[in-house]
Amino acid sequence: REHRYPGHTGDEINFWLPITRACGNNSLFVESSPGAGDFRPLDLEYGECFRFDGENCAHYTVANDTGQARVSLDFRVIPASLYRDDFGGRIGSYPCELSSKRGSNDTPSVEASDAELLP
């Protein structure tokens, strides 16, 4: 639940992209909805990406005892229409940049409450 950490606004959308097969103890454990406590490891193949509400849904990893390396990327985005510079150009402890290359027809198409496997 990243809203507990300084520098997070509540408008972030989390993505987790494993670069290797991810399952069992070499994966990310995520609850299905905020406060549900029903944690399960994601089961993802190379190239699959998981989008979730990491601002409100708890998530964690455990010691990888599978013998297979876990290599992954995680990133957060904020739709420009929801971005507020409340923390001096930072999201969490990282510098951020708002792209000015948006067209007038660009609208956010991802809801922060969605959690789904992306192809």
Side-chain angles (χ1 to χ4, degrees):
R1 296 185 184 149
E2 293 169 358
H3 69 273
R4 295 180 180 178
Y5 299 99
H8 294 274
T9 65
D11 299 317
E12 298 171 30
I13 303 165
N14 291 57
F15 293 85
W16 192 69
L17 174 66
I19 306 301
T20 56
R21 170 113 170 83
C23 61
N25 284 353
N26 80 340
S27 190
L28 178 68
F29 288 70
V30 182
E31 64 183 343
S32 64
S33 61
D38 58 347
F39 297 97
R40 65 178 177 84
L42 299 177
D43 188 352
L44 301 177
E45 298 290 338
Y46 169 80
E48 293 181 317
C49 184
F50 186 73
R51 175 181 68 192
F52 68 105
D53 181 10
E55 280 284 314
N56 298 298
C57 290
H59 50 285
Y60 62 91
T61 59
V62 297
N64 181 0
D65 59 4
T66 66
Q68 299 175 330
R70 173 181 56 226
V71 181
S72 63
L73 303 172
D74 65 292
F75 54 95
R76 294 148 188 86
V77 298
I78 300 174
S81 63
L82 299 176
Y83 178 74
R84 300 179 316 273
D85 188 7
D86 294 344
F87 305 102
R90 300 184 102 48
I91 297 175
S93 57
Y94 303 98
C96 64
E97 180 178 309
L98 180 63
S99 173
S100 62
K101 297 181 180 180
R102 291 175 48 95
S104 60
N105 293 330
D106 291 343
T107 57
S109 60
V110 176
E111 295 296 321
S113 62
D114 288 347
E116 66 182 276
L117 178 65
L118 302 176

